[in-house]
């Protein structure tokens, strides 16, 4: 079914259309003459006429309801053909509300054009929400935009107006189906002769409606007789339509072509909006790709058929000689030759070497099997082969149900060839000697992964009841109030984390604690009992976590730039660890998210990424349905953003955002040496502490919130101790906690290091009295003393050479994480082939 929502006087569309709606007045309404072909068509949407005019012309529809306009305002019509069952629920001069086929609900809506009266329209929309629980779609001219990017030219739209519109959409549980076609649906040149365009017309739907019509599409059509564009909603995509509106996908191999970058620059114009630039780049790349490479889908399908024919129709031995990705799976062993064929996964090239002193060696694998259950003949194996091949052969499973030898694909566990890996097969055939390359690159890759250091992290309870430290996969907690070490209880068994922890965080009220990292596990702990009350499995490695201010939601970001949310409502600690899935909250970042935080008022969630952007997103009332409203971008950085924090005062309770990055280099110094590794706001002050990668100590900054400026208040130096902080934490008690260290330190007896230091009276930085001068506390003056340091550090003393190694390792690790890597073609191919970014199973 297709529906037209329009303010144009007349719109006609070809067949398959049986429901139409029109609303509002055209800019220059004209008398309508019925198109002679209109009665052959089943869909016409119309508006701009009185009730009598609409009823007179009928427009080729057998049924309809019209609400005439009052002067030049309002006027709504809903028309349908005889084969559609429509029940009218209510109507007025600005809306028509109907139920279609007793299944779903459709409302045509016209927002009041008078700004002061528009809240009345929002109240009506909220009242309509309460009338029915059926899947709901609302479309029309709302006379309002949701954000400033939906308007060009003219005066700036007040934020309060847009916020009211967003609020009613969220209250009604409606979100927009992104439309194809032009970005703006209304234009005018009435503002000082300058053209003004806005997106006033849209289609919004409930989640239940979207689930019922998952393939529905919206298109902004073209009109030459109205200042508004018609909007078409298609609930039943036909093949041609579906093909036309498939999502755009950027192909990685495009970047290998030197023309790609120039095409993007040519398509991007500074004079148009962000959305229009993105649309232009997409279309330009699609046209260029088709001219340069032809139809990718056809090419992939053709190659897939060729490879399948090669695998299925050719003698497997010939295929095995050409392709290193295939081998035999043993059934009864009648087809497989012991020496010539590839059949042992644990041996070089899949082939086994015969013991030189062996005599009367069998020819076929079946001769190595004995008994009706087909078991390996252990004695014969030891006579024919050396020790290593014997162990590899005995590890081959021999299922009773498998009676036929099969040629399988060794690129995955299932043994089934797929087109995704066809590229690597073709490359192996073209360039040869792929096995040698794979082994060498694999060793290099493994060495890199094993030697990658993870910075030590620290987090403080808001009231300083406890302090937590993460070093590598170890999570260490000390109870300051009880002056005792904490034993973590994880019902999942084994150690809590299996790989490096990348982010830890206490909740605002201190009741929850979250840890997450490279093992793709997000652990949520109760700080009262330190039991793991929920474990969430991420699809990718986790880079950042955040807890909502009310403690009801935990958000985390993975290495692909997707932000996920976990609902903690109704969480029962007594039930132990509960393995739950997370729901996607934000997506399409396409960059590693380095920091994640909630605003002080809890209304927004902010994310910083490796591509110098900070995104501010409205945190929805129902986060499990996703966040659809980007409030703004903070684009002040020119390099990766490494950390963010909020600083505020009594006069500015909502606070100001402070961000750090790798863009602080000066005098030609190395950028990696001046990276801001962490920021920590001092509670109840306008102070913020900053850790710099090359600084032995911390910088304390003061924020002038009225002037919106930052200045250096004091520099705390730890010269002579090689103490370069990797993470900072502070509580309301006025102590600044610092940690320096890393894991996976090579060449040392102890590959894990953490060194903790504390600065006292940090809130008294502005005091004139030397009695309150902030100082770096000696180890015996730190809360918890030697017992705390031994728990958090692993030992009381740290050697100088270890501290130096840790500082250098952290610098390299952060560079690897935050700066985009450039690989050779061979290594890029290997990473694509062996990357471990599939969904994890825990």
């Amino acid at each position: 079914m297709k529906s037209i929502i329009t303010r144009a006087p007349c719109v006609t569309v070809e067949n398959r259309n049986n429901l139409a709606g029109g609303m509002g007045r055209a800019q220059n309404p004209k008398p309508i003459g019925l198109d002679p072909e209109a009665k052959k068509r089943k869909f016409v949407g119309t508006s701009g006429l009185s009730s009598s005019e609409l009823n007179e012309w009928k427009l080729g529809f057998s049924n309809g309801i019209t609400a005439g306009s009052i002067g030049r305002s309002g006027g709504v019509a809903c028309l349908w053909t005889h084969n559609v069952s429509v029940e009218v629920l209510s109507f007025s001069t600005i809306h028509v509300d109907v139920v279609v086929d007793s299944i779903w609900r459709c409302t045509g809506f016209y927002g009041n054009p008078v700004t002061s009266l528009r809240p009345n329209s929002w109240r009506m929309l909220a009242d309509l929400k309460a009338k029915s629980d059926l899947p709901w779609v609302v479309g029309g001219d709302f006379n309002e935009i949701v954000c400033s990017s939906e308007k060009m030219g003219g005066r700036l739209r007040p934020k309060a107006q847009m916020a009211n519109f967003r609020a009613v959409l969220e209250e009604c549980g409606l979100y927009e189906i992104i439309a194809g076609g032009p970005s703006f649906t209304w234009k005018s040149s009435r503002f000082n002769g300058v053209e003004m365009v806005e997106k006033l017309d849209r289609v919004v739907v409930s989640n239940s409606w979207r689930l019922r019509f998952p393939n529905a599409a919206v298109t902004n059509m073209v009109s030459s007789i109205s200042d508004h564009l018609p909007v078409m909603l298609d609930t039943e995509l036909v093949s041609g339509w579906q093909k036309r509106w498939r999502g755009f996908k950027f192909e990685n191999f495009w970047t290998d072509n030197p023309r790609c970058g120039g095409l993007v620059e040519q398509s991007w114009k500074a004079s148009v909006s962000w959305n229009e630039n993105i649309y232009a780049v997409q279309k330009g790349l699609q046209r260029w790709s088709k001219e340069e490479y032809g139809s990718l889908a056809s090419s992939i399908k053709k190659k897939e058929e060729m490879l399948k024919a090669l695998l299925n129709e050719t003698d497997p031995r010939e295929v095995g000689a050409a392709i290193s990705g295939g081998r035999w799976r043993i059934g009864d062993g009648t087809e497989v030759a012991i020496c010539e064929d590839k059949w042992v996964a644990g041996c070089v090239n899949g082939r086994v070497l015969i013991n030189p002193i062996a005599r009367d060696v069998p020819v076929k694998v079946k001769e190595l099997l004995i008994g009706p259950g087909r078991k390996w003949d252990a004695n014969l194996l030891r006579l024919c082969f050396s020790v290593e091949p014997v162990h590899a052969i005995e590890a081959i499973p021999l299922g009773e149900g498998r009676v036929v030898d099969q040629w399988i694909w060794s690129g995955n566990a299932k043994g089934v060839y797929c087109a995704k890996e066809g590229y690597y097969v073709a490359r192996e055939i073209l360039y040869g000697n792929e096995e040698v390359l794979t082994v060498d690159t694999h060793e290099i890759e493994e060495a890199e992964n094993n030697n990658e250091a993870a910075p030590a992290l620290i987090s403080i309870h808001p009231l300083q009841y406890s302090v937590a430290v993460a070093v590598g996969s170890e999570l260490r907690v000390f109870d300051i109030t009880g002056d005792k070490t904490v034993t973590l209880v994880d019902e999942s068994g084994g150690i809590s984390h299996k790989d490096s922890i990348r982010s830890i965080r206490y909740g605002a009220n201190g009741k929850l604690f979250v840890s997450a990292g490279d093992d793709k596990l997000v652990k949520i702990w109760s700080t009262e009992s330190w039991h793991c009350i929920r474990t969430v499995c991420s699809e990718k490695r986790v880079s950042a976590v955040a807890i909502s201010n009310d403690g009801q939601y935990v958000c985390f970001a993975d290495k692909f730039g997707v932000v996920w949310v976990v609902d903690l409502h109704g969480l029962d600690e007594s039930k132990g660890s509960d393995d739950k899935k997370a729901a996607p909250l934000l997506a399409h970042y396409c960059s590693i998210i380095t920091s994640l935080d909630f605003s002080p008022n809890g209304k927004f969630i902010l994310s910083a990424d490796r591509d110098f952007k900070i995104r501010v997103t409205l945190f929805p009332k129902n986060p499990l349905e996703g966040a659809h409203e980007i409030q703004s971008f903070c684009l002040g950085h020119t390099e990766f953003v490494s950390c963010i924090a909020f600083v505020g005062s009594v006069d500015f309770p909502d606070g100001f955002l402070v961000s750090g990055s790798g863009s602080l280099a000066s005098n030609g110094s190395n950028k990696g040496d001046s990276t801001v590794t962490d920021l920590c706001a001092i509670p109840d002050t306008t102070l913020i502490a900053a850790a710099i990668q090359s600084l032995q100590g911390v910088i304390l900054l003061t924020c002038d919130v009225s002037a919106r400026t930052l200045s250096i208040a004091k520099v705390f130096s730890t010269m002579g101790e090689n103490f370069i902080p990797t993470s900072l934490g502070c509580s309301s008690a006025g102590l600044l906690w610092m940690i320096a260290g890393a894991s996976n330190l090579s060449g040392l007896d102890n590959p894990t290091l953490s060194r903790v230091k504390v600065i006292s009276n940090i809130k008294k930085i502005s005091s004139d009295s030397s009695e309150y001068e902030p100082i770096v506390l000696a180890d015996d003056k730190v809360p918890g003393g030697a017992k705390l340091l031994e728990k958090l550090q692993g030992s009381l003393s740290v050697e100088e050479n270890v501290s130096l190694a840790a500082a250098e390792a952290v610098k390299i690790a952060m560079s690897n994480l935050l700066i985009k890597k450039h690989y050779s073609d061979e290594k890029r191919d290997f990473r694509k082939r062996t990357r471990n970014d599939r969904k994890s199973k825990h």
Side-chain angles (χ1 to χ4, degrees):
M1 176 183 293
K2 287 187 179 179
S3 303
I4 290 288
I5 301 162
T6 178
R7 289 194 66 194
C10 184
V11 177
T12 60
V13 200
E14 296 294 341
N15 296 321
R16 300 192 323 277
N17 308 309
N18 43 21
L19 181 67
M23 53 213 64
R25 299 285 297 182
Q27 183 181 25
N28 299 300
K30 303 175 182 178
I32 294 180
L34 188 60
D35 185 345
E37 298 295 321
K39 291 186 178 181
K40 297 180 182 179
R41 299 166 177 163
K42 297 182 179 179
F43 183 150
V44 176
T46 181
S47 66
L49 298 175
S50 65
S51 297
S52 58
E53 291 172 320
L54 286 168
N55 289 326
E56 177 181 354
W57 287 109
K58 208 67 174 179
L59 300 176
F61 288 84
S62 56
N63 302 290
I65 179 172
T66 61
S69 61
I70 302 175
R72 295 183 60 84
S73 299
V76 186
C78 182
L79 311 175
W80 61 92
T81 56
H82 63 85
N83 58 336
V84 178
S85 173
V86 174
E87 176 189 355
V88 179
L89 297 180
S90 62
F91 65 92
S92 69
T93 56
I94 66 169
H95 91 285
V96 170
D97 190 21
V98 300
V99 174
V100 182
D101 292 333
S102 301
I103 297 176
W104 56 282
R105 183 182 175 201
C106 179
T107 301
F109 193 81
Y110 177 64
N112 200 307
V114 180
T115 303
S116 60
L117 299 179
R118 204 163 298 145
N120 297 336
S121 300
W122 306 152
R123 282 192 290 271
M124 171 179 281
L125 190 60
D127 292 339
L128 290 173
K129 167 67 172 66
K131 300 294 184 182
S132 173
D133 293 329
L134 288 174
W136 192 23
V137 56
V138 183
D141 174 13
F142 290 86
N143 269 314
E144 191 55 87
I145 59 177
V146 297
C147 58
S148 56
S149 63
E150 294 184 347
K151 174 184 173 69
M152 289 185 60
R155 299 187 182 93
L156 293 176
R157 186 68 58 97
K159 292 184 178 179
Q161 288 181 219
M162 297 183 289
N164 290 338
F165 185 30
R166 294 193 300 266
V168 72
L169 292 179
E170 186 172 349
E171 179 183 352
C172 295
L174 299 171
Y175 65 92
E176 184 177 0
I177 299 179
I178 303 302
S183 302
F184 302 99
T185 64
W186 174 79
K187 64 179 180 179
S188 173
S189 57
R190 291 175 291 183
F191 186 78
N192 296 333
V194 178
E195 184 180 82
M196 179 170 56
V197 291
E198 296 181 357
K199 182 180 178 179
L200 301 180
D201 309 83
R202 68 186 74 237
V203 175
V204 292
V205 301
S206 66
N207 188 52
S208 57
W209 192 95
R210 191 59 165 159
L211 292 175
R212 179 172 288 277
F213 302 102
N215 295 323
V218 174
T219 308
N220 295 332
M221 304 172 70
V222 179
S223 171
S224 60
I225 55 177
S226 173
D227 55 352
H228 280 262
L229 300 185
V231 180
M232 180 170 68
L233 169 64
D234 188 353
T235 62
E236 47 183 32
L237 289 174
V238 297
S239 58
W241 185 265
Q242 190 172 11
K243 182 177 180 181
R244 192 192 322 173
W245 291 109
R246 288 180 61 187
F248 172 79
K249 294 182 179 179
F250 186 89
E251 301 290 347
N252 285 335
F253 71 86
W254 285 345
T255 58
D256 296 332
N257 191 315
R259 294 180 54 195
C260 179
L263 179 65
V264 174
E265 294 179 359
Q266 181 181 354
S267 302
W268 195 276
K269 300 178 181 178
S271 59
V272 299
S273 69
W274 173 275
N275 289 337
E276 288 178 313
N277 274 323
I278 292 294
Y279 184 76
V281 171
Q282 290 179 1
K283 293 302 180 185
L285 286 173
Q286 286 174 336
R287 287 192 298 268
W288 168 75
S289 178
K290 191 169 184 180
E291 295 171 358
E292 188 82 7
Y293 302 102
S295 174
L296 296 180
S298 300
S299 178
I300 291 173
K301 186 176 181 180
K302 183 178 179 180
K303 299 299 182 184
E304 181 180 359
E305 291 174 352
M306 292 173 61
L307 286 168
K308 283 184 177 180
L310 178 65
L311 288 172
N312 297 331
E313 299 177 7
T314 310
D315 187 338
R317 291 177 181 81
E318 297 179 9
V319 177
I323 303 176
S324 62
R327 64 176 176 84
W328 282 100
R329 174 182 286 169
I330 302 301
D332 57 7
T334 57
E335 296 291 331
V336 185
I338 293 176
C339 298
E340 290 81 7
D341 289 336
K342 298 171 59 176
W343 60 285
V344 184
C347 295
V348 178
N349 297 327
R351 298 180 177 91
V352 292
L353 297 178
I354 302 298
N355 192 332
I357 63 175
R359 297 179 181 275
D360 300 326
V361 178
V363 177
K364 296 289 186 178
V365 172
K366 70 174 183 178
E367 299 175 55
L368 300 175
L369 303 174
I370 59 174
R374 299 198 315 280
K375 297 181 180 179
W376 295 109
D377 188 340
N379 294 328
L380 183 57
L381 291 179
R382 283 161 176 76
L383 288 174
C384 297
F385 312 106
S386 58
V387 176
E388 291 185 1
V390 168
H391 292 163
I393 294 172
E394 290 179 335
I396 299 175
L398 297 172
E400 295 183 2
R402 188 188 305 141
V403 296
V404 178
D405 298 321
Q406 292 179 311
W407 178 257
I408 65 170
W409 173 254
S410 60
N412 53 54
K414 294 182 179 180
V416 179
Y417 168 78
C418 63
K420 181 179 179 181
E421 295 170 333
Y423 166 79
Y424 306 108
V425 179
R427 187 175 183 85
E428 197 166 322
I429 295 173
L430 290 174
Y431 299 106
N433 201 25
E434 183 73 9
E435 292 171 347
V436 176
L437 174 64
T438 300
V439 171
D440 294 343
T441 314
H442 180 71
E443 292 175 355
I444 295 171
E445 192 77 10
E446 285 296 322
E448 290 180 353
N449 291 337
N450 293 334
N451 293 330
E452 182 178 345
L457 307 174
I458 193 167
S459 185
I460 315 299
H461 188 282
L463 301 178
Q464 201 169 281
Y465 290 166
S466 59
V467 56
V469 163
V471 190
S473 62
E474 297 182 42
L475 183 59
R476 309 165 181 171
V477 182
F478 188 85
D479 184 351
I480 298 178
T481 57
D483 192 29
K484 60 182 180 181
T485 62
V486 171
T487 301
L488 303 176
V489 181
D490 190 348
E491 301 296 341
S492 61
I495 58 177
S496 297
H497 286 279
K498 304 173 184 177
D499 208 338
S500 297
I501 300 173
R502 296 292 181 174
S503 184
I504 57 176
R505 178 74 67 94
Y506 278 92
N509 56 15
K511 294 182 179 180
L512 295 177
F513 179 84
V514 179
S515 59
D518 290 345
D519 59 356
K520 307 179 186 178
L521 295 180
V522 179
K523 298 278 187 179
I524 304 174
W525 309 82
S526 167
T527 58
E528 295 179 358
S529 62
W530 285 104
H531 278 68
C532 180
I533 55 179
R534 179 166 291 184
T535 298
V536 181
C537 298
S538 171
E539 295 183 4
K540 316 293 180 186
R541 297 182 180 184
V542 179
S543 59
V545 298
I547 305 175
S548 63
N549 295 359
D550 58 6
Q552 297 300 322
Y553 298 96
V554 169
C555 296
F556 63 90
D558 64 29
K559 72 166 189 174
F560 273 24
V562 180
V563 179
W564 302 80
V565 61
V566 182
D567 187 0
L568 302 182
H569 285 87
L571 189 64
D572 187 359
E573 181 182 342
S574 63
K575 294 183 179 179
S577 181
D578 190 12
D579 196 354
K580 296 289 185 180
K581 291 184 177 181
L585 180 71
L586 301 167
H588 307 300
Y589 279 77
C590 300
S591 179
I592 293 177
I593 292 179
T594 57
S595 188
L596 197 65
D597 205 353
F598 282 88
S599 61
N601 56 16
K603 291 176 59 177
F604 304 101
I605 183 170
L606 292 85
S607 58
D609 63 37
R610 192 176 61 176
D611 289 334
F612 65 80
K613 296 189 299 297
I614 301 175
R615 179 179 294 189
V616 183
T617 306
L618 185 70
F619 192 70
K621 292 182 179 179
N622 188 358
L624 299 182
E625 295 183 358
H628 308 286
E629 179 53 41
I630 299 174
Q631 184 72 11
S632 62
F633 285 93
C634 303
L635 303 176
H637 292 284
T638 58
E639 300 287 347
F640 56 84
V641 184
S642 56
C643 48
I644 57 176
F646 278 94
V647 62
S649 66
V650 177
D651 298 330
F652 296 91
D654 289 342
F656 286 92
L657 178 66
V658 180
S659 57
S661 77
S663 58
L664 300 179
S666 61
N667 301 326
S669 60
N670 189 337
K671 290 188 177 183
D673 291 339
S674 57
T675 299
V676 181
T677 56
D678 199 12
L679 293 171
C680 177
I682 311 302
D684 306 320
T685 71
T686 57
L687 300 173
I688 189 163
I692 310 297
Q693 199 166 77
S694 60
L695 178 65
Q696 296 186 20
V698 294
I699 298 177
L700 197 63
L701 305 172
T702 180
C703 177
D704 187 341
V705 292
S706 58
R708 303 186 181 184
T709 58
L710 284 173
S711 58
I712 297 178
K714 189 175 180 63
V715 177
F716 293 94
S717 176
T718 58
M719 293 294 293
E721 297 190 38
N722 294 314
F723 183 86
I724 301 177
T726 54
S727 180
L728 306 174
C730 190
S731 69
S732 58
L735 297 181
L736 177 64
W737 295 70
M738 308 175 290
I739 189 170
S743 64
N744 299 330
L745 300 177
S746 60
L748 300 175
D749 295 335
N750 186 1
T752 299
L753 164 74
S754 60
R755 181 75 170 96
V756 175
K757 285 187 173 293
V758 179
I759 298 177
S760 67
N761 300 325
I762 198 69
K763 294 183 180 181
K764 306 296 184 180
I765 192 67
S766 59
S767 174
D768 296 331
S769 174
S770 60
E771 179 183 355
Y772 299 104
E773 181 71 17
I775 59 172
V776 180
L777 295 177
D779 288 351
D780 58 345
K781 301 297 183 181
V782 172
K787 189 185 298 185
L788 176 142
L789 294 177
E790 187 172 8
K791 172 65 177 179
L792 300 184
Q793 297 178 172
S795 63
L796 290 178
S797 61
V798 178
E799 297 180 3
E800 183 178 354
N801 65 324
V802 178
S803 299
L804 287 171
E808 187 64 27
V810 169
K811 183 187 300 184
I812 296 173
M814 290 200 67
S815 176
N816 292 338
L817 174 66
L818 298 175
I819 299 176
K820 292 185 177 180
K821 304 175 185 178
H822 300 280
Y823 299 103
S824 63
D825 292 341
E826 291 81 4
K827 192 168 183 179
R828 186 183 296 113
D829 293 339
F830 171 78
R831 288 175 60 85
K832 289 178 181 178
R833 184 174 181 178
T834 62
R835 63 187 183 188
N836 183 25
D837 61 0
R838 299 177 177 85
K839 294 183 179 180
S840 59
K841 297 180 179 179
H842 299 277

